[in-house]
Amino acid sequence: MPLTRKRRAPADEVDEEGGTTISSTQHRSRPSNADQDADYGEESHTAASGSFEQLSKSLVRYALACEYARIPIKRQDINHKILRTHARSFKDIFNTAQYQLQDTFGMQMEELPNREKVTVKQRRGRYVFSTPRCISNFCITAAAISETQTKGSNQWVLKNILPDRYRIPEIIAPPRIPTSEVESAYVGLYTMIISLIALSGGTLPEAKLERFLKRVNADQSTPVDKTDKLLARMTKEGYIVKVKDQSSSTAEELIDYMVGPRGKVEVGDEGVAGLVRAVYGKGTVPDLEKRIERSLGISERRVLSTQTQPTVVNGDGAPANRAPGRPRRQQNEAESEEE
Amino acid sequence: MDYENGEVDGEGEAGYNNSHRAFLQAFLARSVLTVDEIKPIFAAVQTAHGRPTLTGDITEPEITNAIHTLNSRLSLLDLEIRSTRSQHQDRTLVFALVNTTSDPLTQAATTRTPEEIAFVKRVLDAMFEENNTPNREVMAVQRNRALQLARVREQRQSHVNEHDDEEENGTATQTQTIGITIPQAEKVLRDFVSEGWFEKSRAQYYSLAPRALMELRSWLKEVYNDPADDESGEEAVVRIRDCEGCREIVTVGQRCGNRGCGVRLHEHCTQLFFRGQRSGERKCPKCKQEWTGSDFVGEKAVAGAGRRGTGRVESEEVDDEDE
């Protein structure tokens, strides 16, 4: 939740930029330095304030700042920019910050699922074993599976954890980045596209997406931006993932869209189901709920997740989405490359 | 931790509960809210919290109370919900969630590019230096002038090096045109207005909106007010002044007719301020000169200085004065 919009005080950044005459108090007190990352919080966060409270405070503020720009909160960045010499205390500080976010804001950092290993090349790569269906020469050992599963992505996004009754548009409106209207349009568009992908079995060929967008007259431009730029932004922000598959036989490039990590956490099955319910309306389709479950493969995933390892927050998306029976495409045969 | 399952408990210490959290999230999403915008939100929060409430039931003290509770939490994080009244006649009460410290981390949150930020800085300079001379404290910048600032020629390298000793001799001085395109600049200005940083007047002047004044209160003074320097004998330059009445920054209001006097008052504050003086006299509290009521700060200062011509000519004249 974009707290940080306010932090984006025009001036704050300004002084960074030129490094000229203008300095906030903090800056003034130290020599100007081109490398901001390295230079962060030199005095305020190491000497006097390497304290636990200071560090967790910085982490909370950092989390809010990231959310504003829709950048994932990365462990690496936390260590580099906030903890520095205190990187060993990561877990404690993270937990404290998490508690503050929950207690003060009603939000929490939710770990993003690992990137799915969607292409053969990737699957042959470092984490070969993420799919049970993998038909490579590598054998799937229990150890390998548990490794990919227990190892989180070490990236988080903020998620609202207030009860549903508080999460109504009258209270929490789409933030003004830059305006509520544009932001609403953006939220609506990515929710729709994620729903289309999820309901198509988790993978949607580019041509099909284009067709869907054409139906809603959004194939060229949208209230947010030109369609191609919009999709690029969604990809960048992790709502969707663009997968390029170089078909070995035809040399034709096939592009598929899948739901990205942020999309899974922020919209997720629940969001998709919500959209479907809103579109179909109450009581129009008797077994709507069952249909939703089936289309999203929820029940299958439940079975699968009980079989495997339910400990990870979001798990490794791969095994779940590779659930048997769901429409899967040519990827096993295709030599491919993710963008 | 109890929170592992994502369930927040209802009532925390000191009565901090989900209604506060929801209210805070509303602030996070909007960051600046007028009191009339807050009321329906507050009513919705109360209703969700199990106390059906209508917008009309909400009183200002209730809001202030809730904000007080929030601030006790936010202060631990160097955040604060501040309030101020608009400097215009309507005197709308405006609340904003502001950062009480600024650090590079939170700056990373910006969705703006460094070039855009540099442009905004140039616009601010135009407001508070170029268009803020002892004779005319306009503290606003005309749209045309602002757009001219989209691109500038600058000797960039040499400047940076002054601060960067190690590379001082590494790079040559060069003049280059830097900046952003006019359409980009237009978009930045538009966004800054809709995000509550800038206000745009009917005469196409941009000035700082209440949100910016709240957040940048100390920054503005730090940047644009130069303290006296004993060594070089330079006098202090005060470009940003507070209202003698309410102690908030004046960018729209009245000034003492005496050019050398630093007393400023908001339009509204003059009424309260002079009511306290005897026999209906209106005298400057410092220099005791008659308060004219026709010497202005803000856009009105353009007309007040007795100049003719269009706004564009005005701003160019100001340029010349500065040089």
Side-chain angles (χ1 to χ4, degrees):
Chain A
M1 188 94 358
L3 158 63
T4 10
R5 118 201 30 259
K6 46 251 61 155
R7 271 175 219 139
R8 176 171 34 162
D12 296 356
E13 297 101 0
V14 171
D15 63 357
E16 265 334 287
E17 194 276 301
T20 55
T21 52
I22 307 78
S23 279
S24 74
T25 6
Q26 293 179 336
H27 296 167
R28 203 163 257 179
S29 54
R30 67 176 184 249
S32 182
N33 188 327
D35 185 354
Q36 316 245 314
D37 278 356
D39 152 276
Y40 165 69
E42 206 69 47
E43 33 292 66
S44 56
H45 290 274
T46 40
S49 49
S51 72
F52 205 79
E53 289 75 33
Q54 274 294 338
L55 293 170
S56 66
K57 174 174 93 181
S58 298
L59 180 50
V60 170
R61 288 166 60 89
Y62 179 67
L64 294 166
C66 284
E67 193 52 30
Y68 180 63
R70 286 197 169 100
I71 300 169
I73 304 154
K74 294 182 186 147
R75 178 162 183 170
Q76 204 188 341
D77 291 344
I78 295 173
N79 284 339
H80 184 62
K81 296 181 182 172
I82 299 168
L83 303 183
R84 311 176 124 245
T85 55
H86 304 272
R88 258 173 298 139
S89 336
F90 176 84
K91 207 174 167 197
D92 290 338
I93 287 163
F94 183 89
N95 287 339
T96 311
Q98 182 79 307
Y99 178 83
Q100 271 185 300
L101 283 167
Q102 291 164 334
D103 192 43
T104 304
F105 295 92
M107 300 192 291
Q108 71 182 13
M109 292 180 272
E110 185 120 339
E111 188 160 21
L112 290 173
N114 278 310
R115 279 205 128 188
E116 288 175 48
K117 305 300 175 290
V118 281
T119 61
V120 168
K121 204 172 189 177
Q122 286 176 326
R123 271 181 266 133
R124 286 209 186 116
R126 282 173 301 163
Y127 304 108
V128 201
F129 311 109
S130 53
T131 157
R133 284 239 224 120
C134 183
I135 46 161
S136 64
N137 297 327
F138 301 102
C139 48
I140 308 159
T141 65
I145 286 178
S146 75
E147 189 207 343
T148 52
Q149 295 224 324
T150 48
K151 206 170 162 199
S153 63
N154 278 327
Q155 297 190 13
W156 296 265
V157 295
L158 284 185
K159 199 177 174 184
N160 189 345
I161 50 164
L162 288 179
D164 282 347
R165 62 180 187 279
Y166 294 100
R167 294 156 73 169
I168 53 175
E170 289 80 5
I171 299 175
I172 298 153
R176 284 186 190 140
I177 323 172
T179 67
S180 265
E181 289 70 35
V182 172
E183 185 68 13
S184 314
Y186 184 58
V187 173
L189 283 163
Y190 71 63
T191 309
M192 180 184 80
I193 289 176
I194 286 173
S195 301
L196 290 172
I197 297 172
L199 294 170
S200 308
T203 312
L204 187 62
E206 189 182 37
K208 257 186 151 175
L209 176 64
E210 264 169 31
R211 222 156 54 223
F212 282 130
L213 290 176
K214 199 160 192 162
R215 283 204 197 166
V216 292
N217 195 24
D219 56 326
Q220 295 297 321
S221 66
T222 71
V224 181
D225 211 337
K226 297 263 179 238
T227 302
D228 51 339
K229 282 190 184 160
L230 178 86
L231 291 174
R233 179 178 163 192
M234 289 180 187
T235 309
K236 188 175 150 228
E237 294 177 347
Y239 287 106
I240 55 177
V241 177
K242 199 173 176 180
V243 186
K244 275 188 192 162
D245 251 6
Q246 196 85 47
S247 166
S248 50
S249 49
T250 61
E252 201 184 325
E253 201 179 57
L254 294 166
I255 293 175
D256 289 325
Y257 285 100
M258 300 180 79
V259 181
R262 180 181 284 271
K264 281 180 194 158
V265 171
E266 212 178 282
V267 179
D269 289 339
E270 243 180 86
V272 174
L275 183 89
V276 174
R277 282 183 208 116
V279 168
Y280 278 84
K282 246 187 190 150
T284 44
V285 183
D287 53 352
L288 185 63
E289 289 305 319
K290 268 186 218 154
R291 289 183 187 213
I292 292 173
E293 280 217 1
R294 206 190 55 177
S295 296
L296 292 174
I298 289 174
S299 46
E300 289 151 10
R301 229 172 305 169
R302 206 176 288 142
V303 172
L304 235 154
S305 66
T306 47
Q307 284 169 355
T308 55
Q309 256 268 32
T311 52
V312 196
V313 182
N314 290 287
D316 182 341
N321 284 343
R322 296 254 142 203
R326 297 187 54 212
R328 275 293 146 194
R329 302 183 47 263
Q330 74 298 21
Q331 283 154 358
N332 284 337
E333 297 85 45
E335 184 57 35
S336 47
E337 202 161 57
E338 193 176 337
E339 194 183 44
Chain B
M1 282 202 333
D2 319 346
Y3 287 100
E4 214 89 85
N5 56 3
E7 191 54 46
V8 180
D9 66 344
E11 207 79 19
E13 25 140 353
Y16 193 88
N17 57 41
N18 276 341
S19 74
H20 295 98
R21 292 178 190 114
F23 190 39
L24 180 53
Q25 287 198 7
F27 256 106
L28 286 178
R30 276 163 278 208
S31 67
V32 58
L33 288 165
T34 65
V35 71
D36 288 333
E37 284 168 334
I38 286 182
K39 282 178 181 171
I41 297 171
F42 203 73
V45 171
Q46 295 299 330
T47 306
H49 200 56
R51 287 195 304 171
T53 312
L54 296 174
T55 303
D57 297 340
I58 306 295
T59 59
E60 269 183 41
E62 274 181 281
I63 296 174
T64 321
N65 258 338
I67 286 176
H68 188 75
T69 311
L70 287 180
N71 275 341
S72 63
R73 289 297 183 98
L74 291 174
S75 62
L76 304 174
L77 297 163
D78 293 343
L79 300 172
E80 187 186 352
I81 296 175
R82 288 185 186 162
S83 66
T84 192
R85 289 197 179 268
S86 153
Q87 299 177 86
H88 300 290
Q89 277 305 328
D90 53 34
R91 301 190 68 246
T92 318
L93 186 58
V94 185
F95 295 86
L97 179 55
V98 304
N99 215 348
T100 52
T101 60
S102 108
D103 57 55
L105 278 193
T106 46
Q107 287 162 23
T110 184
T111 52
R112 309 252 161 239
T113 65
E115 289 78 22
E116 287 173 332
I117 295 303
F119 162 66
V120 171
K121 176 67 174 70
R122 290 194 291 274
V123 173
L124 288 174
D125 285 346
M127 283 181 194
F128 293 105
E129 285 173 352
E130 183 177 303
N131 281 356
N132 181 22
T133 59
N135 279 330
R136 285 193 312 170
E137 299 181 345
V138 180
M139 299 203 183
V141 61
Q142 260 228 328
R143 180 179 159 80
N144 288 327
R145 176 65 188 137
L147 291 178
Q148 281 174 13
L149 297 168
R151 298 190 72 77
V152 288
R153 291 180 70 76
E154 202 173 88
Q155 294 185 333
R156 198 178 164 78
Q157 300 296 41
S158 63
H159 211 90
V160 170
N161 286 340
E162 285 174 17
H163 301 268
D164 206 337
D165 340 63
E166 281 170 32
E167 287 169 34
E168 185 141 36
N169 36 23
T171 28
T173 304
Q174 47 181 268
T175 312
Q176 55 182 138
T177 308
I178 55 159
I180 54 177
T181 64
I182 298 287
Q184 274 179 301
E186 282 173 333
K187 185 172 182 305
V188 171
L189 290 172
R190 212 166 41 236
D191 290 350
F192 267 68
V193 170
S194 60
E195 288 169 27
W197 294 110
F198 288 174
E199 283 176 343
K200 190 171 140 197
S201 75
R202 210 174 290 167
Q204 307 278 304
Y205 275 91
Y206 289 99
S207 59
L208 290 192
R211 174 182 179 191
L213 289 173
M214 280 185 265
E215 177 123 22
L216 303 180
R217 196 186 276 166
S218 46
W219 183 86
L220 285 170
K221 290 183 184 166
E222 206 173 292
V223 170
Y224 293 107
N225 290 354
D226 303 325
D229 190 335
D230 293 335
E231 285 172 37
S232 63
E234 278 176 44
E235 282 180 39
V237 179
V238 185
R239 295 190 181 89
I240 314 268
R241 294 178 196 276
D242 286 342
C243 171
E244 208 68 21
C246 67
R247 296 285 157 202
E248 301 275 347
I249 289 178
V250 180
T251 61
V252 179
Q254 296 184 8
R255 59 184 292 180
C256 177
N258 176 0
R259 286 283 175 267
C261 176
V263 172
R264 304 288 179 269
L265 281 165
H266 287 119
E267 202 85 32
H268 173 85
C269 297
T270 54
Q271 293 162 24
L272 293 171
F273 195 77
F274 291 120
R275 195 179 294 162
Q277 293 197 353
R278 278 166 300 160
S279 66
E281 278 185 336
R282 289 161 67 93
K283 281 191 174 164
C284 171
K286 253 197 202 120
C287 68
K288 305 297 174 201
Q289 190 173 318
E290 181 83 10
W291 192 267
T292 62
S294 58
D295 289 279
F296 295 107
V297 176
E299 227 179 292
K300 276 183 175 178
V302 176
R307 308 239 180 171
R308 284 159 306 178
T310 66
R312 193 183 312 182
V313 175
E314 293 290 349
S315 61
E316 277 164 16
E317 282 174 13
V318 176
D319 275 348
D320 297 338
E321 278 173 18
D322 277 356
E323 284 150 15

